[in-house]
């Protein structure tokens, strides 16, 4: 049932009109079998009903309407006669009517959707096109990995992950208590020292008689003996507690480790299906699947690898004919390899496709105003390639769909890797292929950190991101383009004070950094960027347990997590990538001060929306207006073209299948007019095959979004990118 009352009312009215039109046509055919069936009108009504159901999530109606449409299409082609299918069509119409009534708040249909779909299946009657499966059975290539994952089982003892997480937390607490016991030894040693001192003082003072001295000596000796016994016992307890704690932590850690093949095994079919959909041929070879990694690592790395594999197929490998023309085999080879060194795992994805187009990446970055021409000219190829990871999204594709061309996929890769404290690098050779390297930790439960002090507080920096620590002389620091830099082994390195990046006041108990001639500097690295952090003191290195961040802190800048030290104090674990980004932004702001804000009102961008379905039109209009666009609507292509000549629009969004003039005809007519050569055109339609998308591209559209994968955020992102 639809929850939105206004959409319910619109869909109820629209579905009633379409169903009434179909009912009238079928009744006319029954009464007058010799008349020519109005296939065009019937198909348009069914298609509109299907589209309206899809856009508001009524998947059963959508799927049944699709089957109904298939029967009509087979009749129109002459594969079967309309007379032989009237019984099926009438049953399908009644089912569609019952489901529509149920969806709009009426009586429950009591229908079994699988039976109704089977009743409209004509695959055994003729050579008709195969009908669409039920929504629960539809598997787009990008969904194959999720389906494979849900069916995958590991033949071993299963333990609930929340219990494992609790055990990890308790083992961390044991480590804290173990540290507390160690401090108790220091206290006992101090007491023993006081006793010894008191005894020596008594001997020297001679203020008491011999008997009293002997009694005091005996008492003190007894206290010392007992303290010694307690100290020995505590030492034994401490050693045992440490052994048990370490063993418990290691056992729990290994319980969470799974072979990376658990994840890798999901990809071969996905690659095969994706390549097949694109008319390409590809084989995925896997190596190193026996390496173990933390369960959470495998979960978090799935999406980045999925996006990288999709990009390799979409943009990397060529069509078979193109490959053979350049001397390559028709079947592209992708290699997914895992290797391990100490506490890190390296995952490498290699393809033998065309490689990255460095010039296209640079031009796209300039178009998106991510950097200036001067900054681009100063970058080498490797630095330009990292622009693909820009948070705002970057794509070299000239045609946008709901799954590619928007530049958001690599943003997902970057975000997930940062959450994993991982790194990514590219190595591309034109026309030879691309190598993508991911470097991630084996586990997220514990990590080694370098503790530093700044603004009188201790902070932790992940040791994996610390490449050096040193003391530097102040006279080695100089300024280039508003950045403070030092020369380290012939390399110019930007530096920044940690307390300034964190917006903290300097510790007044410490000499100001500006007054010090010798400064403590920690050099950190994230990706291919480095930064020297000036701190008050380098405290030392420890292995700590990272605790889950509170939801309130998940989006706090510079914070990667928190840990509890053996002193019982909470310590913030800093995010090196955020620190480097803040330092870069600060220097950029100094070089490029922002102009004063204008008092003029912000001009809203205008969009022309062409859609014949009132339900879909209303829903899309709401989405666009909520995102800040002014929206003008048209019920078909003819009206849209007329309105285009009467006002200025920043973009056009159009359905394809519409009366009078469809979306493809509208797009072609617009592109034939020089006045609209640069007008962004987005097609939003139920037609989702590769051939449909090629026709959209050929007509001149800039983007193609299928309603089956409709996501309002995709539409808004696409508009913002094109306008």
């Amino acid at each position: 049932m639809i929850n939105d009352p206004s959409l319910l009312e619109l869909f109820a009215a629209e579905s009633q009109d379409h169903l009434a039109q179909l009912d009238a046509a079928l009744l006319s055919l029954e009464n007058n079998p010799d008349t020519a069936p109005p296939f065009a009108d019937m198909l348009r009504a069914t298609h509109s009903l299907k589209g309206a159901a899809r856009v508001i999530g009524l998947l059963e109606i959508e799927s049944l309407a699709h089957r109904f449409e298939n029967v009509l299409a087979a009749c129109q082609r002459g594969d079967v006669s309309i007379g032989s299918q009237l019984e099926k069509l009438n049953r399908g119409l009644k089912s569609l009517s019952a489901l529509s009534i149920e969806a709009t708040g009426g009586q429950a249909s009591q229908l079994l959707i699988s039976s109704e779909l089977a009743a409209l299946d004509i695959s055994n009657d003729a050579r008709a096109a195969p009908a669409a499966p039920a929504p629960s059975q539809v598997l787009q290539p990008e969904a194959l990995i999720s389906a494979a994952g849900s069916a995958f089982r590991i033949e071993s003892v299963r333990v609930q992950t929340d219990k494992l997480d609790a055990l990890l937390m308790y083992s961390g607490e044991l480590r804290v208590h173990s540290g507390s016991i160690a401090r108790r030894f220091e206290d006992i040693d101090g007491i023993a020292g006081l006793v010894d001192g008191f005894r020596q003082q008594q001997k020297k003072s001679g203020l008491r008689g011999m008997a009293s001295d002997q009694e005091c000596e005996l008492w003190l000796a007894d206290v010392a003996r007992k303290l010694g016994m307690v100290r020995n016992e505590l030492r034994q307890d401490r050693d045992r507690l440490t052994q048990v704690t370490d063993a418990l932590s290691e056992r729990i850690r290994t319980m969470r480790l799974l072979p990376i093949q658990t994840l890798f095994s999901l990809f071969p079919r996905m690659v095969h299906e994706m390549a097949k959909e694109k008319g390409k041929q590809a084989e995925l070879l896997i190596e190193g699947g026996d390496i173990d990694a933390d369960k959470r690592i495998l979960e978090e790395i799935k999406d980045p690898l999925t996006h990288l594999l999709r990009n390799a197929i979409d943009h990397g490998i060529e069509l078979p004919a193109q490959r053979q023309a350049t001397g390559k085999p028709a079947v592209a080879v992708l290699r997914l390899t895992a290797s391990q060194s100490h506490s890190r795992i390296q995952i490498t994805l290699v393809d033998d496709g065309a490689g990255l187009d460095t010039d296209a990446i640079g031009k796209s970055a300039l178009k998106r105003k991510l950097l200036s021409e001067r900054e681009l000219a100063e970058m080498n190829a490797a630095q330009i390639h990292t622009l693909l990871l820009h948070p705002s999204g970057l794509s070299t594709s000239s045609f946008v769909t709901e799954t590619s061309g928007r530049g958001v996929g690599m943003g997902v890769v970057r975000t997930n890797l940062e959450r994993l404290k991982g790194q990514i690098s590219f190595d591309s050779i034109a026309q030879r292929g691309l190598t993508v390297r991911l470097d991630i930790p084996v586990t997220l439960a514990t990590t080694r950190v370098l503790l530093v002090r700044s603004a009188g507080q201790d902070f932790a920096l992940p040791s994996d991101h610390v490449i050096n620590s040193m003391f530097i002389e102040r006279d080695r620091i100089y300024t280039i383009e508003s950045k403070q830099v030092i020369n380290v082994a012939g390399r110019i390195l930007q530096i920044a004070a940690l307390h300034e990046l964190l917006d903290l006041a300097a510790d007044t108990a410490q000499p100001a950094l500006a007054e010090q001639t010798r400064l403590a500097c920690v050099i950190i690295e994230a990706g291919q960027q480095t930064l020297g952090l000036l701190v008050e003191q380098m405290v030392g290195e420890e292995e700590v347990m990272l605790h889950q961040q509170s939801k309130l802190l998940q989006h706090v800048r510079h914070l990667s997590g928190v840990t509890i030290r053996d002193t019982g104090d909470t310590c913030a674990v800093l995010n090196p990538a955020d620190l480097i980004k803040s330092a870069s932004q600060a220097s950029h702001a100094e070089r490029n001060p922002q102009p004063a804000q204008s008092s003029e009102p912000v001009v809203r961008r205008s969009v022309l929306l062409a859609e014949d379905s009132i339900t879909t039109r209303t829903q899309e209009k709401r989405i666009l207006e909520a995102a800040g666009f002014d929206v003008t609507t048209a019920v078909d292509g003819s009206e849209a073209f007329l309105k285009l000549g009467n006002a200025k629009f920043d973009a056009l969004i159009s359905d394809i299948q519409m009366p009078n003039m469809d979306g493809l005809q509208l797009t072609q007519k617009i592109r034939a007019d020089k006045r609209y050569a640069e007008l962004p055109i987005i097609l939003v339609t139920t037609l989702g095959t590769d051939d449909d998308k090629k026709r959209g591209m050929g007509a001149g559209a800039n983007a193609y979004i299928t309603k089956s994968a409709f996501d309002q955020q995709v539409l808004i992102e696409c508009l913002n990118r094109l306008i």
Side-chain angles (χ1 to χ4, degrees), residues 662-721:
D662 65 30
L664 293 178
Q665 294 170 333
L666 173 62
T667 301
Q668 291 169 339
K669 189 170 184 178
I670 289 173
R671 289 295 180 241
D673 193 321
K674 294 182 179 179
R675 294 176 298 172
Y676 311 126
E678 300 299 324
L679 179 70
I681 299 177
I682 302 174
L683 298 178
V684 181
T685 175
T686 56
L687 304 176
T689 68
D690 275 354
D691 287 340
D692 293 325
K693 294 177 182 179
K694 289 177 182 177
R695 282 192 288 270
M697 183 187 298
N702 300 95
Y704 196 105
I705 301 174
T706 56
K707 293 178 182 177
S708 61
F710 185 80
D711 182 325
Q712 64 185 47
Q713 190 60 37
V714 170
L715 178 61
I716 301 306
E717 287 178 357
C718 190
L719 265 177
N720 288 330
R721 179 176 183 269

Side-chain angles (χ1 to χ4, degrees), residues 39 42-44 46-47 50 54 62-82 85 88-89 96 117 119-123 125-134 687 689:
F39 285 124
M42 295 173 72
L43 283 167
R44 184 178 298 114
T46 307
H47 184 80
K50 180 178 69 174
R54 175 176 292 173
E62 174 204 341
S63 186
L64 195 60
H66 188 89
R67 287 282 176 95
F68 194 97
E69 192 178 32
N70 280 347
V71 177
L72 288 175
C75 294
Q76 185 183 44
R77 291 193 303 268
D79 294 342
V80 291
S81 66
I82 185 69
Q85 302 301 313
K88 290 181 180 179
L89 291 171
L96 285 170
L117 289 169
L120 281 172
D121 188 357
I122 61 170
S123 58
D125 296 351
R127 60 183 186 279
L687 304 176
T689 68

Side-chain angles (χ1 to χ4, degrees), residues 187-208:
D187 296 339
I188 292 173
D189 287 338
I191 294 171
L194 288 174
V195 171
D196 289 338
F198 178 76
R199 184 170 55 186
Q200 294 298 326
Q201 184 181 4
Q202 286 293 89
K203 287 182 178 181
K204 292 178 181 179
S205 66
L207 297 177
R208 303 181 65 180

Side-chain angles (χ1 to χ4, degrees), residues 452-454 468-478 484-486 488 493-500 506 510-523 532-538:
V452 298
R453 187 160 297 150
S454 182
N468 201 356
S469 59
M470 64 183 69
F471 287 94
I472 60 174
E473 303 299 327
R474 174 162 294 281
D475 57 13
R476 290 179 54 193
I477 301 175
Y478 54 100
Q484 284 193 311
V485 299
I486 57 174
V488 179
L493 179 71
Q494 182 182 357
I495 61 172
L498 179 57
H499 75 269
E500 293 179 355
Q510 296 287 336
L513 288 177
E515 300 174 0
Q516 298 180 33
T517 58
R518 196 164 182 262
L519 305 170
C521 180
V522 179
I523 301 176
L533 289 176
L534 300 180
V535 298
E536 294 164 7
Q537 182 182 348
M538 288 175 278

Side-chain angles (χ1 to χ4, degrees), residues 273-280 313-314 319 404 690 693:
E273 295 295 334
M274 283 185 177
K276 183 178 179 181
E277 183 187 285
K278 300 296 181 182
K280 301 177 180 180
I313 296 168
D314 275 352
L319 292 168
S404 64
D690 275 354
K693 294 177 182 179

Side-chain angles (χ1 to χ4, degrees), residues 276-291:
K276 183 178 179 181
E277 183 187 285
K278 300 296 181 182
K280 301 177 180 180
Q281 299 177 32
E283 178 185 11
L284 178 65
L285 303 180
I286 292 175
E287 299 176 7
D290 56 341
I291 290 174

